[in-house]
Amino acid sequence: MSDIKNKIINGIIKREGGYVDDSRDSGGKTCYGITEKVAREHGFVGHMSDLPKKKAFDIYASEYWHSVRADDLEKVSGQIAEEVVDTAVNMGPTTAGVFLQRSLNALTENELVIDGMIGNKTIKALNDYIVRREDDKVILKALNCLQGSAYIELTERRKKDKAFIYGWLMHRIALD
């Protein structure tokens, strides 16, 4: 396992915190940010407050790290891998892929199909962008802008999510 993968997933677990049962949260009961539904899909049968941290790590690896090809993203940019995985955790792997593809299309001459599936063409486009620009800061800003905008749109559609918008923007969006 890569040090970056370990750092990223453990950082997410730390940010997400322990057991939470907030009636306003659409995800319901969570532990380390893992919803009860996802934990059950991965064979966990106990009370959510008893979810082992190791089980949460394994779920993050299979559901959110591998689904966005973070091993391949990491080879291009550890920061991009971290941002895409974090977005996948909080908004779903497809949305994370869409944000990456939209950003690459906006910042390059590429015309990637916006399907949310991070495949070889998306990885190549990211690599070409990083080689050309010699920097990943602008694409990171683009990814964060899309994520922040999506949070605001979510609170406009679902007023109950206003309880969470401050934390999402504070802990999930970084523009420096």
Side-chain angles (χ1 to χ4, degrees):
M1 172 185 341
S2 77
D3 289 339
I4 292 175
K5 177 181 177 180
N6 194 33
K7 175 188 161 275
I8 290 170
I9 294 176
N10 282 319
I12 291 167
I13 288 171
K14 183 177 180 181
R15 272 193 306 281
E16 290 290 346
Y19 176 70
V20 176
D21 185 7
D22 188 329
S23 61
R24 298 169 298 177
D25 189 345
S26 300
K29 295 175 185 173
T30 65
C31 191
Y32 305 118
I34 302 295
T35 64
E36 185 169 25
K37 178 180 183 266
V38 170
R40 301 290 181 239
E41 289 170 358
H42 285 266
F44 181 70
V45 294
H47 189 275
M48 283 304 292
S49 62
D50 297 327
L51 182 73
K53 198 179 282 190
K54 170 76 168 100
K55 183 70 170 177
F57 186 99
D58 292 344
I59 291 170
Y60 278 120
S62 69
E63 288 290 318
Y64 306 107
W65 182 269
H66 297 300
S67 64
V68 297
R69 293 187 57 184
D71 287 322
D72 294 321
L73 293 174
E74 175 192 346
K75 291 173 189 168
V76 179
S77 165
Q79 289 185 301
I80 298 282
E82 182 170 12
E83 177 60 30
V84 171
V85 170
D86 187 69
T87 301
V89 166
N90 210 247
M91 305 186 100
T94 301
T95 299
V98 165
F99 288 174
L100 179 59
Q101 291 165 335
R102 287 181 62 200
S103 297
L104 287 165
N105 279 354
L107 291 165
T108 69
E109 298 301 316
N110 287 289
E111 293 188 24
L112 297 168
V113 173
I114 308 296
D115 61 3
M117 303 285 103
I118 298 176
N120 292 336
K121 289 180 183 177
T122 303
I123 300 292
K124 183 181 180 331
L126 176 61
N127 188 63
D128 291 350
Y129 172 83
I130 297 294
V131 167
R132 180 170 173 249
R133 293 293 182 182
E134 298 180 357
D135 197 303
D136 57 9
K137 289 182 184 10
V138 171
I139 199 154
L140 284 166
K141 287 181 182 187
L143 292 168
N144 274 277
C145 287
L146 288 169
Q147 187 175 6
S149 177
Y151 289 139
I152 290 169
E153 290 169 8
L154 185 61
T155 62
E156 291 170 342
R157 285 192 316 273
R158 296 189 330 209
K159 299 297 182 199
K160 71 182 186 74
D161 286 327
K162 281 192 170 204
F164 306 106
I165 186 78
Y166 181 86
W168 289 336
L169 294 173
M170 175 60 97
H171 300 290
R172 300 287 188 191
I173 306 302
L175 297 177
D176 338 276

